[in-house]
Amino acid sequence: MTDTTALPDGYEISTDPDRVDAARVHHWLSTDAYWAIGRPREKQDRAIAASLNLGVYDSASGEQVAYARVVTDGATFAWLCDVYVDPSVRGKGIGTALAAAVRDHLRPLGLRRILLATHDAHGVYAKAGFAPLEQPDLWMALVLGQ
């Protein structure tokens, strides 16, 4: 069986917060991500600072080509969010590899679950082992704004 979660040759994943191109991430999310359109740069910078960040980088140029953010207590729960793959590299399996990298990075912590929400990328996350909630009626949300 082929590993569908492997990162394509020529790319690398890093959790080094100093490598995150915060301006690029903000541009991607605030202009092209349906869940974050119009998000202010200051708010995005606060989110980056308070989260575990994973970036995918072109190995040759060092340019960031994808991003994912994880909010976690490091013990029981994590929320995978703000996943974005630059349009120029979509279709190469980078999104699936990034989701799998999040899963693998968090696995040693013994978390009970990693949640995410997606409008249109269910197949990407399914390849990394994510599945719809078995009992969605148990979950609730308090929406405070954007």
Side-chain angles (χ1 to χ4, degrees), residues 56-139:
V56 178
Y57 304 88
D58 181 291
S59 298
S61 69
E63 179 182 23
Q64 186 167 358
V65 298
Y67 174 76
R69 186 167 69 85
V70 179
V71 179
T72 183
D73 60 11
T76 63
F77 177 82
W79 174 43
L80 173 57
C81 56
D82 286 347
V83 179
Y84 189 90
V85 178
D86 189 87
S88 68
V89 297
R90 289 183 187 162
K92 296 182 177 187
I94 289 173
T96 297
L98 185 54
V102 167
R103 174 199 67 207
D104 296 344
H105 185 81
L106 296 175
R107 188 177 310 248
L109 300 178
L111 304 178
R112 182 167 180 184
R113 67 179 46 93
I114 303 169
L115 290 181
L116 63 85
T118 183
H119 178 72
D120 57 358
H122 295 79
V124 169
Y125 297 108
K127 291 176 187 173
F130 288 85
L133 292 173
E134 290 182 19
Q135 296 179 297
D137 55 313
L138 295 180
W139 296 87

